[in-house]
Amino acid sequence: MKTLCVFLLLVLLESSAGYRLGPPLSACSDMYPTGHNNSSQTIASPFTFILNTTTYRPGDVIKVFLNSSGDWFMEGALIQVRAKNCKGLTVPAVGTFFTEENEDFLETFNCFGETASALRHYAHYHIYNRTFYWTAPSVSVGDVHIR
């Protein structure tokens, strides 16, 4: 009986906590941060994406710099690239990501059954900026946006 109680307590604690070590697969579709008891953001984003190019060809590797403004920091992240005409959030991400060798905050994430189709946080630090890379899909999907 004691073992079962400890197990149930651990399950309840896990299910009621935020996702300190990265978002769950269920976040891939709507990209909404669950488990944090926060409402949607109502201010302009204090974070910007800076890319080394604004166009791509199939297979191109784009360097992306995620930057914070002022004193804002990130504690979590889920990043995808989607076709601009994706008709909502149910269309899978496009392309793949990779990080720099010594990255200690972001890791690739397999959304929609596609390897490295997203990036997510896997540590709980206060991060002000990060550099990562997106590889365009082998067939153009037209205009894309990073979210």
Side-chain angles (χ1 to χ4, degrees), residues 99-121:
T99 61
E100 295 184 330
E101 187 174 321
N102 296 321
E103 176 60 53
D104 62 354
F105 180 70
L106 294 173
E107 69 178 355
T108 59
F109 191 45
N110 304 337
C111 284
F112 309 106
E114 299 293 328
T115 303
S117 60
L119 286 177
R120 69 174 179 178
H121 70 282

Side-chain angles (χ1 to χ4, degrees), residues 126-145:
H126 292 178
I127 301 299
Y128 292 90
N129 55 58
R130 274 299 182 262
T131 300
F132 54 89
Y133 303 86
W134 175 72
T135 303
S138 59
V139 175
S140 178
V141 295
D143 291 344
V144 296
H145 62 259

Side-chain angles (χ1 to χ4, degrees), residues 46-48 65-75 105 125-130:
F47 306 103
T48 56
F65 182 67
L66 176 55
N67 185 45
S68 65
S69 60
D71 294 329
W72 292 90
F73 55 83
M74 294 170 269
E75 287 185 331
F105 180 70
Y125 304 133
H126 292 178
I127 301 299
Y128 292 90
N129 55 58
R130 274 299 182 262

Side-chain angles (χ1 to χ4, degrees), residues 12-98:
L12 289 172
L13 287 174
E14 179 63 27
S15 65
S16 65
Y19 297 98
R20 186 174 81 86
L21 298 179
L25 278 173
S26 61
C28 288
S29 292
D30 65 8
M31 298 186 72
Y32 190 80
T34 58
H36 296 288
N37 298 321
N38 291 324
S39 57
S40 297
Q41 181 174 309
T42 58
I43 62 170
S45 177
F47 306 103
T48 56
F49 291 106
I50 301 168
L51 290 72
N52 68 338
T53 183
T54 57
T55 61
Y56 77 92
R57 286 178 287 165
D60 279 355
V61 174
I62 310 293
K63 184 176 184 177
V64 182
F65 182 67
L66 176 55
N67 185 45
S68 65
S69 60
D71 294 329
W72 292 90
F73 55 83
M74 294 170 269
E75 287 185 331
L78 176 58
I79 302 166
Q80 296 177 5
V81 172
R82 296 199 180 183
K84 188 173 183 179
N85 62 354
C86 70
K87 295 180 177 66
L89 296 174
T90 58
V91 175
V94 297
T96 58
F97 288 95
F98 65 96

